[in-house]
Amino acid sequence: MSERWSHASRLVQTGTGRDDKTGAISFPIHPSATYRHPGVGQSTGFDYTRSGNPTRQILEEALADLEGGARGLAFASGMAALTTLFLHFSSGDHLILSEDLYGGTYRVLDQIFARFGLQASFVDTTDCDKVAAAITGQTRALLVETPGNPLLGIADLEALGRLCRRHDLLFIVDNTFLTPLLQRPFDWGADIVVHSATKYLGGHSDLCAGALIARDPDLGEELYFLQNSTGSILPPQDCWLLMRSLKTLPVRMERHCVSADRLARWLNEQPQIRQVYYPGLPDHPGHELMKRQATAFGGMLSFRVDTPQRARRVLERLRLISFAESLGGVESLITMPAVQTHGDIPEEERLRLGIDETLLRLSVGLEAVEDLIADLERALAD
Ligand SMILES: *Cc1c(COP(=O)(O)O)cnc(C)c1O
């Protein structure tokens, strides 16, 4: 698609007119599992749906274009994308990851890949020196989430990109929280970008999907080999739904950011709140850094209330904001990471990170922000 157009225009045009037979505005869903060959040794370009599907192809091209990489791949979930990515490594290899990380990424490495000899260290990636100190002769890659989850710490992508190049490490960024519209990891030297498309890319809490985008075509081909060999592809119906969602991503992200900023400032003034974690607040330790490497601060924030009893009461009293896992949907969602998303991290480690039962994580949706404030005000009251 033409580079002259902005992402907003290119996203709206995803798949539009790409079906030559019909000129369909909305690209068709191709459920076919297999394809007729025109002759022996000939192919239409599609042979078998695990290896390639027309609907998935349009989506994958859009994902690569959006992130600015050479190759996009669509998976059945964010964890399917991450699992396929980890299959790129071998027994004895060592990975460094953010300690303020999605709980499922921790679990798959700690409880599954460890059995196959893949080593992982979880470090504070907001501190480059700590990352450098964790590098060993076996280290092959660094995987960073910024902002972190659930404490929204900010890692310096440019500095980490340089560190990875110096040590010949693959630099992987999980860009789920911001999307490429707000943060472009390839600009800072990333080799692979990961998404849980279940979150903002899907955006309506009605789809489970994941993505890998490779900057370089050879690495993209290797990831495709792993995807095709192990099979955790996104089904065509869901590819279509994700394409449909991508068309509104820019308007959704804009509103998520404005409302989150407003809510963070409001929460910061409430007497029952001990701390608000939102990188858009000027006193957030990563505020200046994030201004340099992202165009906005996103729709996620966490906050700490005065007591665990208050946290439980807030979850029970909220009416408009749903007490539910996940994030990035049009609906506002709130969770207690200690018992939900991060429940598989050992208690001692969780408490060291500050993930206790007074901490709540809020995914700010697209409801009227005044209504969200009113809902929280009532839930926080004594
Ligand atoms: C949700 C999430 C994942 C996992 O994605 P699923 O689609 O739930 O499998 C990975 N990384 C981050 C940052 C997430 O929020």
Side-chain angles (χ1 to χ4, degrees):
M1 187 139 308
S2 171
E3 285 298 325
R4 290 177 291 116
W5 296 331
S6 68
H7 280 297
S9 303
R10 274 145 55 200
L11 283 169
V12 166
Q13 295 291 326
T14 302
T16 301
R18 294 286 302 277
D19 182 43
D20 294 335
K21 284 217 166 58
T22 65
I25 295 295
S26 170
F27 192 83
I29 301 171
H30 286 260
S32 189
T34 188
Y35 301 83
R36 271 188 184 179
H37 301 301
V40 177
Q42 293 175 8
S43 167
T44 60
F46 298 98
D47 306 311
Y48 185 63
T49 196
R50 169 159 42 73
S51 308
N53 173 285
T55 315
R56 197 169 83 237
Q57 182 182 325
I58 297 287
L59 168 66
E60 290 180 337
E61 286 174 13
L63 291 169
D65 179 59
L66 175 62
E67 197 72 67
R71 185 79 179 257
L73 297 165
F75 291 87
S77 67
M79 286 318 304
L82 282 158
T83 298
T84 304
L85 170 61
F86 294 143
L87 294 172
H88 175 68
F89 302 100
S90 301
S91 177
D93 286 353
H94 172 244
L95 311 180
I96 300 173
L97 301 98
S98 301
E99 62 183 9
D100 191 10
L101 182 85
Y102 180 67
T105 310
Y106 178 88
R107 179 175 59 189
V108 77
L109 288 167
D110 182 58
Q111 296 187 32
I112 299 175
F113 280 96
R115 287 195 278 112
F116 297 90
L118 184 61
Q119 313 287 325
S121 302
F122 301 88
V123 307
D124 178 2
T125 48
T126 67
D127 182 342
C128 274
D129 294 339
K130 287 192 180 149
V131 178
I135 297 173
T136 72
Q138 304 320 117
T139 308
R140 298 287 171 261
L142 168 68
L143 192 160
V144 173
E145 271 184 40
T146 183
N149 181 2
L151 292 168
L152 288 301
I154 305 302
D156 186 336
L157 292 176
E158 188 175 23
L160 292 172
R162 271 201 307 271
L163 185 71
C164 285
R165 268 196 306 285
R166 207 173 323 130
H167 293 270
D168 204 17
L169 309 182
L170 214 53
F171 184 24
I172 305 160
V173 177
D174 184 331
N175 207 20
T176 298
F177 268 37
L178 290 183
T179 83
L181 295 177
L182 307 188
Q183 176 170 274
R184 309 192 62 72
F186 291 138
D187 290 352
W188 308 112
D191 299 294
I192 297 172
V193 173
V194 186
H195 283 280
S196 168
T198 312
K199 316 298 170 53
Y200 288 104
L201 299 184
H204 296 71
S205 309
D206 57 6
L207 169 70
C208 187
L212 292 178
I213 298 102
R215 188 177 51 172
D216 163 87
D218 291 342
L219 186 55
E221 193 58 33
E222 158 69 8
L223 296 175
Y224 168 72
F225 168 79
L226 293 169
Q227 183 197 44
N228 186 35
S229 301
T230 59
S232 51
I233 49 158
L234 188 64
Q237 290 82 359
D238 288 343
C239 289
W240 177 86
L241 189 55
L242 181 51
M243 260 195 277
R244 210 268 302 258
S245 297
L246 286 177
K247 291 167 185 257
T248 56
L249 182 65
V251 279
R252 286 189 281 111
M253 289 317 291
E254 217 174 287
R255 178 71 175 271
H256 282 301
C257 293
V258 170
S259 293
D261 184 79
R262 177 82 195 280
L263 267 181
R265 285 166 205 275
W266 180 83
L267 284 166
N268 218 10
E269 286 164 8
Q270 306 311 306
Q272 307 91 336
I273 307 288
R274 287 284 172 267
Q275 197 171 351
V276 178
Y277 302 85
Y278 184 64
L281 293 175
D283 61 352
H284 185 284
H287 180 71
E288 290 303 321
L289 173 59
M290 190 156 172
K291 271 209 300 216
R292 285 204 302 276
Q293 68 184 24
T295 54
F297 300 102
M300 294 299 299
L301 60 87
S302 292
F303 58 96
R304 199 179 289 291
V305 294
D306 47 3
T307 65
Q309 292 75 14
R310 171 111 47 204
R312 280 168 193 273
R313 219 161 54 219
V314 166
L315 295 176
E316 286 162 11
R317 283 184 180 175
L318 286 168
R319 293 287 170 268
L320 185 59
I321 301 170
S322 292
F323 172 28
E325 331 232 9
S326 199
L327 60 109
V330 293
E331 318 81 359
S332 293
L333 303 177
I334 193 164
T335 62
M336 186 185 279
V339 296
Q340 294 175 297
T341 50
H342 292 66
D344 277 308
I345 296 179
E347 188 180 5
E348 193 186 339
E349 176 66 3
R350 259 200 298 107
L351 295 179
R352 185 183 71 75
L353 295 172
I355 306 173
D356 63 20
E357 296 189 6
T358 64
L359 185 76
L360 298 174
R361 189 192 74 183
L362 177 61
S363 170
V364 181
L366 306 187
E367 302 89 347
V369 70
E370 293 76 18
D371 293 338
L372 295 174
I373 287 175
D375 202 30
L376 280 163
E377 188 161 35
R378 189 164 26 75
L380 281 166
D382 286 325

